[in-house]
Amino acid sequence: MPNFAPATGSQISTVEIASQVTIDAAVASSQAAQPAWAALSGAERGRILTRAAVLIREYNAELSVLESVDAGIPVSETEFVQVLGGADSFEYFGGLASNACVTGQMMDTPHAGGDADSFCYTRREPLGVCAGIGAWNYPVLVMSWKVAPALACGNTFIYKPSECTPLTALKIAEILKEAGLPDGVFNVVVGDRTTGPMLSSHNEVKKLSFTGSTETGIRIVKDAADTLKKVTMELGGKSPLLVFEDADIDNAVAAAMMSNWYTQGEICSNATRVFVHKSIKGEFTKKLVARTKQLVIGDPLDPNTHVGAMIMPPDNKSGHLDRVVGFIERAKQDPDNKLILGGNTHTIEAGKVDGRGGVGNEGCYVEPTIFECSNDNSELVKEEVFGPVMSLLEFEDEDDAVKRANDTKWGLGAGVMTNNLARAHRIAKKFQSGNVWINNYNLTPSEMPFGGYGMSGYGRECGTYAIDSWTQIKNVYVEMGDVDSSCYPK
């Protein structure tokens, strides 16, 4: 299977598509390694994961370049956010591996019917062989969010990276080996859309975590249901950002930019519906346009680049670009939308870069694009574009703004910009979303649980809540007295 660089359209590698035989071999390897890995103390597992975090930081430069070439993401993002964020995840769960939230708890049971000194305790036990299917927009980070907590809990893991971005997963596997991870504890299988179902339907895979589109997530849940395996789904979104009249406008503009232009808009939690109070909409829009015009679109490996290239699938090099452009062109024809910035693609002479251009005649580049929208039911406002396209909307009433913000089948992210903290907390409570940001957007530290409501999926990654996804609870009741059988004749 060919692997293409989104910045140039050139082939950068060829990867093998895993067959059922390969999947079965990976599962067998993981099964063989799991008992010994689970038998280690949490502290012993944690030391290996912490060592992996150190090594990921040491390999940051190499991993960042791989990620930028493979995914088209600016190296300024991969080097300082994505790779380091992955290291943070291994470090966090390495430290958590021996914590009580992983090892269980003890409870007195004075009213259970037995002796007053009787008690019970819980054991958090690993599930066994687990699997993950990753996304192409945050390859290292998405993988780390799944692999680190699973390994910390004593599971073994099989990871399938996106067919669009397979390279960094293979490098992370090498790093984990160098960190001391035993053979078979972590396996990578590379493949296309036929490979994932082999994992989601495999009888010996006990848990699967998926990050990707809602449509694919639904198919995976159906596959997993036949074997009753646990699943975590982190899916799509069409998130809102509410900017109130008392907000710091410069901060609000920064939040809107971070939630739309980062990673070329290819982020599931992005706030692509920006609702701005009528009284400040003019000033907000002016500042937003002025700052966005300064962004450099170009070579992802250039540290001065702000907006890189759109992803390039191996089976249809312009497929995602065409999809994003399709939304833009239809929005231009919709009288409820007014284009105020961008709306174009860029391909210029190979090897040349300018402030508004791309690199290579076949590179996939889209300008950051802003539409003023007057109809919440238009396609652009309703559907997930997954590109650098912002819908700018106006509101006057708080309750109406929250109602409009919640009018979506998704619920992955939501944000509010205001200096009134009472209002901020009131709105945070009303948002139908798994993640809410107040006076910022899209920050996802390892300590913070991340997941969605509705069609954005279920289950949580990161934070102590992630432990629930990778363990099963065993309760043990300990009787300290005699068995009470008075209900039966002696």
Side-chain angles (χ1 to χ4, degrees):
M1 178 177 66
N3 180 34
F4 299 104
T8 63
S10 61
Q11 183 172 339
I12 53 177
S13 65
T14 300
V15 293
E16 181 180 351
I17 297 177
S19 65
Q20 185 66 59
V21 172
T22 305
I23 297 298
D24 289 342
V27 172
S29 171
S30 294
Q31 282 183 305
Q34 198 272 328
W37 176 246
L40 295 178
S41 69
E44 289 173 309
R45 293 194 299 270
R47 279 194 291 270
I48 293 174
L49 298 183
T50 303
R51 174 61 179 158
V54 172
L55 290 173
I56 289 171
R57 293 189 180 102
E58 290 179 3
Y59 284 102
N60 186 12
E62 181 180 348
L63 285 165
S64 298
V65 169
L66 274 178
E67 190 106 312
S68 293
V69 170
D70 213 11
I73 302 168
V75 72
S76 58
E77 295 182 22
T78 59
E79 183 175 4
F80 296 107
V81 177
Q82 297 215 24
V83 175
L84 294 181
D88 289 346
S89 185
F90 277 97
E91 184 174 55
Y92 175 76
F93 286 104
L96 203 63
S98 60
N99 190 279
C101 67
V102 178
T103 54
Q105 55 184 308
M106 177 267 192
M107 294 150 283
D108 290 324
T109 57
H111 305 295
D115 187 274
D117 292 326
S118 297
F119 64 95
C120 67
Y121 64 89
T122 62
R123 291 176 51 85
R124 278 195 178 270
E125 298 186 342
L127 299 167
V129 178
C130 298
I133 300 175
W136 44 258
N137 58 334
Y138 270 62
V140 170
L141 195 60
V142 166
M143 180 181 66
S144 301
W145 282 6
K146 301 178 189 307
V147 175
L151 297 187
C153 293
N155 301 288
T156 51
F157 205 96
I158 302 168
Y159 187 73
K160 179 203 170 291
S162 167
E163 60 268 26
C164 302
T165 54
L167 299 184
T168 47
L170 298 171
K171 183 62 183 178
I172 293 290
E174 294 178 3
I175 291 172
L176 288 173
K177 174 72 173 175
E178 185 178 344
L181 196 71
D183 290 345
V185 174
F186 179 62
N187 289 298
V188 176
V189 292
V190 181
D192 57 15
R193 295 174 183 176
T194 66
T195 309
M198 299 179 195
L199 289 170
S200 58
S201 62
H202 202 291
N203 190 56
E204 299 304 324
V205 173
K206 304 305 180 184
K207 161 69 193 287
L208 188 138
S209 176
F210 171 74
T211 299
S213 71
T214 299
E215 293 74 20
T216 303
I218 291 171
R219 291 197 296 270
I220 289 173
V221 169
K222 290 179 179 179
D223 286 343
D226 290 336
T227 54
L228 287 180
K229 62 172 54 67
K230 294 180 70 171
V231 292
T232 296
M233 294 284 118
E234 197 269 275
L235 308 175
K238 190 69 180 179
S239 302
L241 176 66
L242 305 188
V243 181
F244 282 86
E245 69 275 14
D246 64 339
D248 183 300
I249 292 184
D250 290 333
N251 278 336
V253 167
M257 293 179 69
M258 292 296 292
S259 63
N260 279 270
W261 312 146
Y262 211 72
T263 316
Q264 303 78 248
E266 297 169 323
I267 301 177
C268 48
S269 58
N270 268 359
T272 53
R273 296 181 295 143
V274 179
F275 296 84
V276 184
H277 194 273
K278 182 178 181 179
S279 64
I280 61 167
K281 185 167 176 282
E283 183 182 1
F284 176 92
T285 303
K286 181 179 179 181
K287 289 189 173 185
L288 173 66
V289 169
R291 284 198 65 182
T292 301
K293 283 182 176 180
Q294 298 178 51
L295 300 182
V296 176
I297 308 170
D299 182 0
L301 294 179
D302 185 339
N304 296 313
T305 292
H306 301 113
V307 181
M310 308 297 289
I311 197 66
M312 188 171 284
D315 57 345
N316 183 2
K317 292 171 66 176
S318 64
H320 186 63
L321 176 70
D322 292 342
R323 180 180 184 277
V324 173
V325 170
F327 274 105
I328 293 173
E329 292 305 316
R330 291 190 297 274
K332 289 178 181 178
Q333 302 304 314
D334 187 339
D336 291 325
N337 302 319
K338 177 184 176 183
L339 178 67
I340 60 174
L341 186 69
N344 301 305
T345 60
H346 282 282
T347 54
I348 63 173
E349 294 181 29
K352 294 183 180 179
V353 182
D354 64 25
R356 306 302 301 164
V359 179
N361 289 324
E362 297 184 57
C364 292
Y365 296 85
V366 176
E367 284 183 323
T369 299
I370 304 171
F371 283 95
E372 285 188 332
C373 303
S374 59
N375 182 0
D376 288 7
N377 292 314
S378 67
E379 179 192 52
L380 189 67
V381 179
K382 280 289 187 183
E383 299 300 323
E384 184 179 36
V385 178
F386 222 68
V389 184
M390 180 192 298
S391 296
L392 195 57
L393 303 113
E394 182 180 292
F395 76 92
E396 291 185 78
D397 177 73
E398 176 185 315
D399 290 338
D400 179 61
V402 173
K403 181 180 178 181
R404 292 166 64 192
N406 285 335
D407 186 18
T408 174
K409 63 182 178 181
W410 290 292
L412 190 56
V416 55
M417 305 296 294
T418 177
N419 282 326
N420 184 334
L421 287 181
R423 167 191 280 160
H425 291 293
R426 181 171 64 242
I427 291 174
K429 181 179 179 180
K430 293 178 181 179
F431 274 143
Q432 295 298 305
S433 173
N435 306 284
V436 175
W437 288 272
I438 295 174
N439 291 331
N440 212 322
Y441 204 87
N442 262 350
L443 298 182
T444 54
S446 298
E447 298 82 0
M448 185 186 91
F450 187 84
Y453 283 9
M455 297 302 283
S456 290
Y458 46 79
R460 292 296 179 267
E461 296 185 309
C462 298
T464 58
Y465 289 93
I467 302 302
D468 292 334
S469 298
W470 301 105
T471 56
Q472 52 194 344
I473 302 296
K474 175 184 288 181
N475 181 70
V476 180
Y477 179 90
V478 181
E479 177 59 61
M480 299 301 291
D482 296 328
V483 175
D484 181 4
S485 60
S486 58
C487 58
Y488 297 116
K490 293 184 178 181

